[in-house]
Amino acid sequence: MIYAQSLVNGLLLGGLYACIAAGFSLVWGVLNIINILHGAFIVLGAYVAFFFHQWWGIHPFVSALGAAAIAGIIGYVLQASLINRVVAKSVLITLTLTFGLELMANNAMLLAFTADFRKVTLDRPLGNADIGGIFLPLDRAAAMGLSLLVILAVAYALKATRMGRAIVAVRTDREAAALMGVDVARTYALTFAIGAMMAAAAGSLLSLVFPVSPLSGHVFLGKAFVVCVLGGVGSIGGAVVGGIALGLIESFGGIVFGPESGLILAFTLLLAFLVVRPQGFMGNKALV
């Protein structure tokens, strides 16, 4: 029974990890940027959910929309005004820039929110279901469902909308897309904004599960990096597969090595994949 419970826990956790990593993977695949700022957007989303719930009693499932809108605007402005200036430079340059922006964001949140850990505690939680002796927390199950819904919505937009097709075209061949009339700089800014929106929405959903502080972004960024490598850089479907895989590994690994071993297991897996299968489960050719 303990293994069945671990399977359920791993799937619930993996769905949230997938949403964390999908935006990170999208930005990496299209812009060729390792966005260190991604973890700060996740934390920002969690704080928006916390304060919206504390001040106005808004459920994190609803405030995820507000968090995504705020992060999307910030992401668009940052990309259009700063990162686009160096996006064609080496990965080291963009890595350094996003790292600097992440430090500024962390310090701004420390000043605004203090270093205390915060977590949303619902007044009326959905409760738990008992399925044949398996404990299923319904709030977490709903958060996982919404997380996968966000990923599906972005995947659909990439296939079915003009903006999405422009993103896919720029990712495939930037020069050819520009010759066909695609505004590459604007497409980059929109892609970065979508990545930020997905991160903030995931942060709002995670606020029901994990306590966060302004410096928690490093932990979430590390998990996003691992999931991205597991699934395949730039593949949203791969992010789902990688997220579920990481959730299961952490859940079952917790039985053997203890719950504190999650991060160690994740990075051990990352190193193993970089050696054995650096392209990840799904490869890196398909965006969706």
Side-chain angles (χ1 to χ4, degrees):
M1 188 59 71
I2 188 173
Y3 293 106
Q5 184 66 61
S6 295
L7 176 64
V8 171
N9 293 343
L11 290 174
L12 294 179
L13 202 55
L16 294 172
Y17 286 167
C19 196
I20 285 176
F24 181 74
S25 185
L26 178 69
V27 170
W28 191 350
V30 176
L31 281 73
N32 195 29
I33 286 177
I34 301 174
N35 179 23
I36 304 298
L37 189 59
H38 193 76
F41 283 126
I42 296 171
V43 172
L44 177 63
Y47 271 106
V48 169
F50 175 81
F51 285 110
F52 275 26
H53 181 262
Q54 188 177 58
W55 291 339
W56 301 302
I58 299 175
H59 197 290
F61 293 169
V62 178
S63 59
L65 296 173
I70 293 170
I73 293 170
I74 295 173
Y76 188 94
V77 171
L78 286 177
Q79 175 66 34
S81 60
L82 289 177
I83 303 175
N84 263 341
R85 296 174 182 271
V86 299
V87 74
K89 305 291 184 184
S90 69
V91 172
L92 183 61
I93 300 284
T94 55
L95 190 73
T96 303
L97 177 58
T98 56
F99 178 66
L101 291 171
E102 190 249 0
L103 289 178
M104 293 172 65
N106 287 348
N107 281 287
M109 287 192 286
L110 274 172
L111 287 173
F113 308 133
T114 76
D116 294 340
F117 280 84
R118 312 290 178 92
K119 178 179 177 297
V120 174
T121 303
L122 297 174
D123 298 327
R124 285 180 288 182
L126 294 176
N128 305 303
D130 188 341
I131 306 173
I134 297 174
F135 176 73
L136 179 65
L138 296 178
D139 286 311
R140 288 195 182 195
M144 176 202 176
L146 286 173
S147 172
L148 296 179
L149 194 62
V150 169
I151 295 171
L152 284 174
V154 172
Y156 176 78
L158 289 174
K159 283 191 172 181
T161 66
R162 183 181 178 87
M163 177 195 70
R165 288 192 289 271
I167 291 173
V168 173
V170 169
R171 197 251 186 180
T172 304
D173 191 327
R174 184 179 63 183
E175 285 76 17
L179 289 174
M180 294 295 107
V182 175
D183 186 336
V184 174
R186 181 171 176 272
T187 303
Y188 278 164
L190 285 171
T191 305
F192 198 87
I194 292 171
M197 292 173 72
M198 296 182 78
S204 291
L205 300 176
L206 281 168
S207 66
L208 286 170
V209 181
F210 298 112
V212 298
S213 81
L215 301 181
S216 299
H218 295 108
V219 177
F220 297 127
L221 177 66
K223 293 182 186 297
F225 197 86
V226 172
V227 170
C228 193
V229 171
L230 287 180
V233 173
S235 169
I236 291 183
V240 176
V241 174
I244 297 294
L246 180 61
L248 291 174
I249 289 165
E250 286 191 359
S251 183
F252 283 100
I255 298 175
V256 180
F257 302 105
E260 70 282 358
S261 64
L263 203 57
I264 297 173
L265 285 172
F267 280 99
T268 303
L269 193 66
L270 170 66
L271 293 175
F273 253 72
L274 286 175
V275 173
V276 177
R277 190 176 169 82
Q279 72 272 33
F281 285 124
M282 305 286 283
N284 54 9
K285 296 190 181 299
L287 184 60
V288 180

